[in-house]
């Protein structure tokens, strides 16, 4: 897509550089510049799609002056009926402004249809999808979030906007000649952010709170269970408030915690010391009246993977919730506390797309086979197989769901960030929007140990041990046709982690070992250990040469650098560790001032070749 650039001064509102939102554009703009307000005040009819209910309630109350009887703006959320929307459309409001969640948008369509005005909707109303990255980010667990996209391209006037847009791969954007408009802030300064790399997120947050006893904390953590665990551990029941969904509110109240809200009031005072927010408050919601917020983002890769946040989109959105007062300034202090899991499975965009194309080929082959069948029962059996196939996940109404594919790419990218602190730091730096300070904290009891204990209670036998007999049965069949390949792909899609390990030796390699669990695991471990050592040797060879003489300080510093770079927190930077790769001889130097112990590299113990 072609790009267009607009400059805006720091803390300037969008209406000073853009009089009206134009059609067939995807806008990338600074947070808090009043973009949706521009459309809400525009002299035309508008449909605005917001990602969730609190955002809509917040904007509705602002535009209606907190008076629900002064219906300038019609919110369409859960509980609002089609008849109420129809009444609003028949009212004497000059320019109709409808703000809807994606899931409630069907009611807007129904209201216009019942009034016989559907053509008017597409021609006379401008459609704006706000926080448009959420369509890609949330579709994995909110399938109906893409429902408005079925109608979006029918509108004569249409646009998408976000401070952090993710450009969809949907080919219709190219078909309708969409442009990306980047609204760049002149005099932009990077947001300082303190990243705490820890092995125990709760203890690190507790220590942060202790170091800042006079602060009021705004904590973004997308796990009700984790929020409750922190509250219980820190015993801060009377000092905190939680902002979350209705479902999460019910769960907390069942556990005797009553300080819960599902909406941020436009006059919210935030009287408590600890204010927790789940992900529904990560974007679009305006938090006013907080002069210098102390923002904490918490990620626990072992307790809940959905607490992982994207620096390029979610982190910036979270920070942007805190609005600068009109004609004033604001200082946002931000800390991201996170652990890391080097065992997270992630795939590159190319790998994800290649896998999906394989699933598509298998799906199309099955469908063509079904079309050739003549009996109803046979077709029903194959149809059930299609419905359960991996590729069906990437279809909507029989068409390719590009947003689900984009979501798969996005989710894998985020997992890659949380394999090591260096990977996350690189992701932050790649945005060019943050000034990062990384610090490390370690505790005797780690989140990983806790996670292993929880998993040990849940699982009686390893998944690999359960899968190998199934693979043996499939492999021993004389014919390995369609059923065989479909079954393998189905198992693969449900147990990607296990198959990632199995790929080390392959199914044929497992067959050669009789699919015996112990033999298979030993062979995988042996090959993985050999594979792991090659990158390390390659790095070591850059700094240590046979015949070279090195001090212990030099050795430890270089090993520490190499192991951190490779995300190998399990390896210790020590002389003993280097001895695993080189034969060393200790030499006592006595030449003048340079006295002390040095180590001569006599021989390399491993060969990369």
């Amino acid at each position: 897509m072609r790009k267009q650039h607009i400059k805006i001064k720091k803390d300037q509102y969008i209406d000073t550089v853009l009089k009206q939102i134009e059609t067939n554009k995807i806008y990338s703009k600074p947070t808090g510049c009043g973009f949706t307000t521009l459309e809400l005040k525009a002299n035309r009819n508008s449909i605005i799609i917001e990602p969730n209910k609190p955002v809509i309630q917040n904007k509705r109350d602002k535009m209606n002056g907190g008076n629900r009887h002064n219906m300038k703006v019609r919110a369409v959320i859960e509980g609002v009926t089609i008849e109420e929307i129809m009444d609003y459309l028949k009212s004497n409001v000059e320019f109709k402004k409808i703000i809807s969640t994606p899931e409630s948008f069907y009611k807007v369509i129904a209201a216009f249809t019942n009034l016989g005005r559907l053509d008017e909707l597409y021609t006379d109303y401008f459609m704006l999808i706000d926080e448009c990255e959420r369509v890609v980010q949330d579709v994995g667990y909110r399938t109906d979030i893409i429902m408005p996209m079925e109608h979006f391209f029918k509108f004569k006037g249409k646009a998408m906007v976000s401070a952090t847009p993710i450009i969809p791969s949907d080919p219709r954007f190219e078909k309708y000649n969409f442009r990306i408009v980047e609204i760049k802030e002149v005099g932009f300064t990077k947001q300082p952010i303190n990243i705490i790399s820890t092995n125990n997120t709760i203890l690190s947050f507790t220590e942060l709170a202790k170091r800042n006893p006079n602060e009021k904390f705004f904590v973004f953590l997308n796990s009700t269970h984790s929020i409750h665990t922190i509250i219980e551990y820190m015993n801060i029941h009377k000092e905190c408030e939680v902002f979350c969904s209705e479902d999460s509110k019910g769960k907390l109240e069942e556990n005797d915690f009553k300080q819960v809200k599902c909406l941020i009031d436009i006059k919210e005072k935030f009287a408590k010391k600890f204010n927790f927010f789940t992900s529904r408050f990560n974007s679009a919601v305006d938090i006013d009246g907080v002069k210098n917020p102390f923002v904490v983002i918490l990620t626990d890769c072992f307790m809940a993977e959905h607490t992982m946040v994207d620096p390029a989109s979610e982190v910036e959105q979270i920070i942007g919730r805190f609005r600068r007062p009109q004609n004033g300034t604001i200082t946002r202090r931000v800390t991201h506390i996170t652990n890391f899991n080097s065992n997270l499975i992630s795939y590159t965009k190319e790998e994800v797309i290649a896998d999906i194309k394989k699933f598509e080929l298998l799906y199309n082959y099955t469908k063509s086979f079904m079309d050739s069948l003549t009996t109803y029962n046979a077709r029903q059996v194959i149809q059930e197989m299609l419905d359960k196939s991996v590729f069906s996940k990437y279809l909507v109404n029989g068409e390719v769901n590009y947003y689900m594919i984009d979501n798969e790419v996005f989710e894998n990218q985020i997992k890659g960030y949380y394999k090591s602190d260096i990977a996350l730091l690189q992701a932050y730096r790649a945005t060019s929007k943050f000034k990062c300070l990384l610090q490390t904290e370690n505790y005797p009891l780690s989140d990983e140990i806790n996670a292993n204990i929880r998993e040990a209670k849940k699982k009686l036998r390893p998944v690999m041990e359960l899968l190998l007999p199934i693979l043996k049965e499939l492999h021993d069949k004389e014919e390995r046709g369609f059923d065989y390949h479909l079954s393998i792909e189905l198992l693969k899609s449900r147990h990607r982690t296990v198959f990632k390990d199995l790929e080390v030796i392959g199914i044929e390699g497992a067959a050669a070992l009789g699919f015996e669990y112990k033999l298979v695991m030993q062979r995988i471990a042996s090959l993985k250990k050999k594979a792991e050592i090659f990158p390390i040797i390659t790095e070591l060879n850059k700094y240590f040469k046979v015949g070279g003489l090195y001090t212990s300080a030099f050795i430890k510093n270089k090993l520490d650098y190499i192991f951190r770079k490779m995300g190998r927190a399990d390896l210790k930077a020590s002389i003993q560790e280097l001895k695993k790769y080189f034969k060393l001889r200790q030499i006592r130097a006595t030449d003048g001032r340079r006295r002390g112990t040095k180590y001569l590299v006599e021989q390399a113990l491993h060969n990369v070749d």
Side-chain angles (χ1 to χ4, degrees):
M1 269 183 265
R2 289 180 295 172
K3 287 188 178 182
Q4 178 182 342
H5 299 279
I6 297 176
K7 291 183 179 181
I8 188 172
K9 293 180 182 178
K10 183 176 172 60
D11 297 332
Q12 194 174 26
Y13 289 104
I14 196 66
D15 57 5
T16 58
V17 296
L18 190 68
K19 297 305 177 185
Q20 184 170 269
I21 300 169
E22 298 175 355
T23 190
N24 294 7
K25 301 288 175 67
I26 299 177
Y27 288 92
S28 174
K29 48 84 177 180
T31 55
C33 68
F35 204 95
T36 45
T37 301
L38 177 65
E39 185 57 38
L40 286 169
K41 292 182 176 180
N43 293 334
R44 63 184 177 192
N45 300 317
S46 308
I47 303 285
I48 299 175
I49 305 296
E50 293 287 356
N52 48 48
K53 184 176 173 180
V55 181
I56 293 172
Q57 292 169 313
N58 183 273
K59 293 187 184 297
R60 173 201 64 192
D61 293 347
K62 277 189 173 184
M63 295 304 297
N64 292 342
N67 182 0
R68 296 190 181 184
H69 299 289
N70 178 27
M71 197 65 71
K72 291 181 180 178
V73 172
R74 170 78 263 184
V76 179
I77 54 179
E78 184 182 3
V80 174
T81 66
I82 295 169
E83 288 72 23
E84 288 173 323
I85 302 170
M86 291 168 64
D87 289 341
Y88 174 73
L89 293 174
K90 291 185 285 186
S91 72
N92 59 3
V93 174
E94 183 179 5
F95 297 109
K96 305 296 192 296
K97 303 291 178 180
I98 297 174
I99 316 179
S100 173
T101 60
E103 289 84 353
S104 289
F105 184 64
Y106 78 93
K107 291 185 279 191
V108 177
I109 298 297
F112 276 90
T113 302
N114 291 349
L115 293 172
R117 294 164 58 179
L118 192 58
D119 288 340
E120 177 190 327
L121 171 66
Y122 296 138
T123 56
D124 294 349
Y125 281 74
F126 190 92
M127 186 175 192
L128 178 67
I129 298 181
D130 193 19
E131 310 301 345
C132 59
E133 77 281 354
R134 296 292 292 273
V135 180
V136 169
Q137 291 174 341
D138 295 0
V139 70
Y141 66 95
R142 290 175 67 186
T143 53
D144 286 343
I145 197 170
I146 63 168
M147 196 267 283
M149 299 309 300
E150 296 176 28
H151 302 270
F152 180 69
F153 294 98
K154 296 178 184 179
F155 280 79
K156 182 180 178 182
K158 54 194 173 295
M160 301 174 81
V161 64
S162 177
T164 55
I166 297 174
I167 308 304
S169 61
D170 188 333
R172 290 176 292 183
F173 287 98
E174 292 287 353
K175 178 182 176 181
Y176 288 94
N177 297 316
F178 267 71
R179 287 187 181 183
I180 300 169
V181 181
E182 291 187 352
I183 303 169
K184 292 191 174 182
E185 193 175 69
V186 178
F188 168 79
T189 55
K190 292 184 178 182
Q191 168 68 50
I193 184 165
N194 184 31
I195 303 170
I196 299 178
S197 170
T198 181
N199 68 344
N200 193 311
T201 52
I202 293 177
L203 292 181
S204 283
F205 177 64
T206 304
E207 288 302 310
L208 181 69
K210 285 180 181 177
R211 291 196 298 268
N212 299 275
N214 300 320
E215 294 293 346
K216 186 179 290 186
F217 295 92
F218 297 86
V219 185
F220 290 79
L221 172 58
N222 190 32
S223 169
T224 312
H225 177 72
S226 297
I227 290 172
H228 185 257
T229 302
I230 290 173
I231 293 170
E232 288 287 320
Y233 174 77
M234 295 180 68
N235 193 25
I236 52 174
H237 302 74
K238 295 180 180 179
E239 299 176 85
C240 67
E241 198 153 41
V242 178
F243 296 83
C244 60
S245 67
E246 288 82 355
D247 288 344
S248 295
K249 179 182 180 183
K251 291 176 185 177
L252 288 168
E253 288 178 341
E254 285 174 9
N255 286 278
D256 298 322
F257 183 78
K258 309 298 182 185
Q259 301 296 322
V260 190
K261 292 182 178 180
C262 301
L263 172 67
I264 297 178
D265 189 85
I266 56 174
K267 296 180 181 179
E268 186 67 57
K269 298 299 182 184
F270 298 106
K272 301 293 185 180
K273 180 178 178 64
F274 299 97
N275 301 277
F276 290 91
F277 304 86
T278 57
S279 65
R280 66 182 353 223
F281 297 93
N282 282 6
S283 61
V285 178
D286 295 347
I287 299 179
D288 298 304
V290 181
K291 291 182 179 179
N292 300 302
F294 198 115
V295 182
V296 179
I297 301 166
L298 272 172
T299 298
D300 187 343
C301 303
F302 297 97
M303 174 76 79
E305 286 188 7
H306 52 268
T307 61
M308 296 186 291
V309 291
D310 175 29
S313 57
E314 292 160 296
V315 173
E316 186 178 350
Q317 287 285 0
I318 287 168
I319 296 168
R321 295 313 94 225
F322 299 89
R323 299 308 202 191
R324 172 182 61 85
Q326 199 159 8
N327 302 320
T329 59
I330 185 171
T331 301
R332 304 173 180 92
R333 292 160 295 167
V334 187
T335 298
H336 185 179
I337 299 174
T338 181
N339 52 31
F340 296 93
N341 183 358
S342 60
N343 295 318
L344 282 171
I345 304 299
S346 65
Y347 298 87
T348 65
K349 179 179 179 178
E350 292 73 23
E351 288 173 328
V352 171
I353 299 299
D355 276 352
I356 292 173
K357 287 197 175 296
K358 290 177 186 176
F359 298 147
E360 183 178 13
L361 285 171
L362 189 61
Y363 181 92
N364 290 337
Y365 173 81
T366 310
K367 192 172 185 305
S368 64
F369 176 65
M370 183 188 74
D371 293 340
S372 69
L373 298 174
T374 56
T375 63
Y376 173 79
N377 287 338
R379 291 172 65 86
Q380 281 294 101
V381 170
I382 301 301
Q383 184 61 58
E384 286 180 15
M385 294 174 71
L386 285 172
D387 293 340
K388 293 177 182 178
S389 70
V390 178
F391 189 66
S392 63
K393 171 185 175 181
Y394 305 103
L395 293 173
V396 58
N397 298 326
E399 300 292 331
V400 175
N401 184 345
Y402 292 97
Y403 302 92
M404 189 63 81
I405 295 173
D406 293 341
N407 173 263
E408 190 79 16
V409 172
F410 175 78
E411 292 293 335
N412 275 273
Q413 184 182 47
I414 303 310
K415 285 181 183 179
Y417 296 158
Y418 289 87
K419 288 184 176 183
S420 70
D421 52 4
I422 291 179
L424 182 64
L425 191 62
Q426 288 173 342
Y428 267 107
R429 287 173 175 166
T431 68
S432 301
K433 294 182 178 180
F434 298 98
K435 184 179 180 181
C436 304
L437 174 65
L438 178 66
Q439 66 183 79
T440 303
E441 296 179 358
N442 286 298
Y443 300 90
L445 180 63
S446 69
D447 292 326
E448 185 174 8
I449 292 172
N450 285 327
N452 289 337
I453 293 170
R454 286 194 302 272
E455 288 303 309
K457 290 180 180 178
K458 292 179 186 176
K459 296 179 180 179
L460 298 177
R461 295 171 64 191
V463 177
M464 181 72 85
E465 189 176 355
L466 296 172
L467 283 179
L468 285 173
I470 299 172
L471 290 172
K472 185 178 187 304
E473 185 177 342
L474 287 169
H475 188 270
D476 288 349
K477 286 185 178 180
E478 290 183 5
E479 292 186 12
R480 292 185 203 162
F482 170 76
D483 288 343
Y484 172 81
H485 293 291
L486 182 64
S487 299
I488 294 295
E489 291 301 328
L490 186 61
L491 288 171
K492 226 180 242 190
S493 67
R494 291 181 177 174
H495 305 287
R496 296 191 82 170
T497 303
V498 172
F499 271 84
K500 187 74 173 175
D501 281 339
L502 194 58
E503 284 172 3
V504 173
I505 62 171
I507 292 178
E508 292 302 327
L513 298 169
F515 292 98
E516 289 291 330
Y517 174 70
K518 287 185 179 179
L519 295 177
V520 168
M521 294 307 292
Q522 286 172 1
R523 182 63 175 156
I524 289 172
S526 174
L527 291 178
K528 285 176 79 173
K529 188 174 183 180
K530 289 179 180 179
E532 285 177 1
I533 207 172
F534 291 149
I536 296 174
I537 294 169
T538 302
E539 286 296 315
L540 289 172
N541 286 342
K542 294 178 182 178
Y543 303 101
F544 300 99
K545 307 293 182 184
V546 174
L549 201 61
Y550 307 98
T551 65
S552 59
F554 177 90
I555 291 171
K556 290 177 182 178
N557 285 337
K558 289 303 177 185
L559 289 181
D560 181 69
Y561 168 76
I562 291 169
F563 295 158
R564 284 178 63 81
K565 177 182 176 182
M566 303 186 73
R568 294 298 303 270
D570 56 313
L571 299 179
K572 186 178 180 182
S574 65
I575 305 297
Q576 290 303 316
E577 189 65 30
L578 188 63
K579 284 182 177 180
K580 294 177 182 179
Y581 305 95
F582 298 100
K583 182 180 178 182
L584 303 179
R585 182 154 59 93
Q586 188 173 334
I587 295 176
R588 187 80 177 174
T590 58
D591 51 335
R593 296 180 182 179
R594 296 184 178 180
R595 295 186 178 184
T597 300
K598 291 187 178 182
Y599 293 88
L600 175 68
V601 177
E602 292 187 316
Q603 180 186 345
L605 300 178
H606 303 279
N607 192 322
V608 175
D609 294 338

